[in-house]
Amino acid sequence: MNKRLLLAVVLLFTVVFMTGCFPKKQPANGGDKLKVYTSFYPMYDFAKKVGGEKIELTNLTSSGGEVHDWEPSANDIIKLEGADVFIYNGAGMEHWVKKVLKSLSNKELVVVEASKGIAFLDSEQEDGHSEEEGTDPHVWLSIKNAKLQMENIKNAFVSADPQNAAYYERNYTKYASLFDALDKEYGESLAALPGKNIVVSHKSFAYLCHEYGLNQIGIEGVSADSEPEPRKMAEVIRFVKENNVKYILFQSLVSPKTADTIARETGASTAVLSSVERLTDEQLASGADYLSIMRENLETLKKALE
């Protein structure tokens, strides 16, 4: 067990011993809001869309924080003891979940693995990152997958709070139609463009590319903390030149250094293609969400592939 996670669990049991109890949960069907915790941004956004005013929603990871290597603090674990619902992505994204859930005494907690039912794609393990079963965890970058994740979340809310089932169903139906419309726009727009190759700083877009017939060439691996080898850099530079790639795409909140290097060597430009793993405080304050960021991604792709 990771030292930080072990310390968090030890502190958790220290609190139990000293206080004799955890924060008391209120019954979900007694008129109080569901206490919902999410592991990182897309899960938070989907839960917010479905749960609306019927839930008290907290995202465990801070805005702008790295997601792949994040681990909960003792205080985070204590919060889960008082939660009604916990939502996480799965597909190996949150390596800490199994150990933390095993440590909890909250047996009434409704746990939602939002990626359940999704066909995972291979991460290819180019960066040595130990994703569970070799899968790419960025399933939400397929809009169809994101809709399924939102449906899984809706079903959990209905189960935990059946008296508000109609409310959750209405919200899901409303946003599912918006997801369908954007998915259709992606399909029609990208199918009409001559280019099919995208060069990305991190190989996080397998589901997006699989859904819309694109091919991603990753400079670095799935994780944002990986580093490209000189051989890989040379291969990408050669590919960009031979295939007349116009843009090198890098993720927001990740250093553009590698993308800038490739662009200088090839004469290409750079642009942001977001993995929607995390949003800045400024983006959140402006009302940005999964749908608006994915729409921005579509505009970037159209520019890069025209």
Side-chain angles (χ1 to χ4, degrees):
M1 184 182 295
N2 182 280
K3 288 183 178 179
R4 180 181 171 190
L5 185 54
L6 177 61
L7 177 60
V9 173
V10 170
L11 289 174
L12 169 65
F13 283 105
T14 300
V15 171
V16 176
F17 179 77
M18 294 180 66
T19 65
C21 65
F22 289 106
K24 186 178 180 181
K25 290 200 301 177
Q26 299 297 320
N29 297 323
D32 295 296
K33 296 181 179 183
L34 282 180
K35 295 180 176 64
V36 181
Y37 287 84
T38 57
S39 59
F40 67 107
Y41 179 73
M43 305 304 103
Y44 171 87
D45 184 62
F46 302 158
K48 182 179 179 181
K49 284 175 165 51
V50 174
E53 63 182 17
K54 301 297 183 182
I55 66 173
E56 179 185 310
L57 181 61
T58 302
N59 192 32
L60 291 174
T61 54
S62 61
S63 63
E66 172 56 38
V67 175
H68 288 264
D69 298 321
W70 183 88
E71 291 178 354
S73 66
N75 189 50
D76 292 325
I77 297 174
I78 291 170
K79 289 176 182 177
L80 290 177
E81 289 289 358
D84 294 304
V85 181
F86 169 60
I87 303 164
Y88 73 106
N89 181 73
M93 187 70 174
E94 304 95 337
H95 63 91
W96 49 270
V97 164
K98 289 182 179 180
K99 291 186 176 71
V100 167
L101 292 180
K102 188 176 180 180
S103 75
L104 297 178
S105 65
N106 181 1
K107 303 308 178 185
E108 296 179 1
L109 180 66
V110 175
V111 177
V112 186
E113 183 179 6
S115 62
K116 186 175 181 180
I118 291 173
F120 298 143
L121 298 177
D122 191 352
S123 68
E124 298 187 21
Q125 297 296 292
E126 291 185 359
D127 59 352
H129 197 66
S130 56
E131 302 293 0
E132 184 177 44
E133 300 178 357
T135 57
D136 182 344
H138 303 85
V139 296
W140 62 90
L141 290 174
S142 156
I143 300 171
K144 287 184 176 68
N145 285 349
K147 178 185 170 184
L148 178 56
Q149 290 190 297
M150 188 168 62
E151 183 177 13
N152 288 338
I153 292 167
K154 179 264 294 181
N155 290 340
F157 288 170
V158 169
S159 175
D161 184 18
Q163 71 177 14
N164 288 309
Y167 176 85
Y168 301 130
E169 293 285 358
R170 284 196 302 272
N171 284 349
Y172 169 75
T173 299
K174 169 187 173 181
Y175 284 103
S177 66
L178 296 177
F179 278 46
D180 287 341
L182 184 58
D183 177 47
K184 182 180 179 181
E185 187 177 349
Y186 257 80
E188 292 176 350
S189 298
L190 296 179
L193 296 173
K196 301 301 175 188
N197 296 314
I198 60 170
V199 175
V200 294
S201 58
H202 295 279
K203 203 167 185 179
S204 304
F205 300 91
Y207 295 93
L208 186 153
C209 290
H210 179 78
E211 196 69 63
Y212 304 111
L214 304 181
N215 175 44
Q216 72 167 337
I217 294 85
I219 303 170
E220 304 175 44
V222 174
S223 177
D225 60 2
S226 61
E227 292 291 339
E229 297 179 356
R231 176 186 58 80
K232 184 63 176 179
M233 292 282 284
E235 288 177 358
V236 173
I237 289 171
R238 182 167 60 252
F239 182 91
V240 170
K241 290 180 177 178
E242 291 177 354
N243 291 275
N244 193 30
V245 174
K246 300 175 182 178
Y247 283 87
I248 312 301
L249 307 177
F250 66 94
Q251 294 180 30
S252 54
L253 297 173
V254 174
S255 171
K257 178 180 177 181
T258 303
D260 287 342
T261 299
I262 299 290
R264 284 197 303 271
E265 291 290 330
T266 61
S269 301
T270 60
V272 172
L273 187 68
S274 176
S275 65
V276 206
E277 288 180 30
R278 43 193 172 140
L279 269 61
T280 64
D281 289 332
E282 291 75 17
Q283 286 175 313
L284 292 171
S286 71
D289 68 350
Y290 174 85
L291 288 168
S292 68
I293 299 300
M294 286 297 287
R295 189 169 294 282
E296 290 176 4
N297 278 351
L298 178 57
E299 294 306 311
T300 296
L301 290 169
K302 287 161 66 175
K303 179 172 63 175
L305 297 173
E306 65 183 4

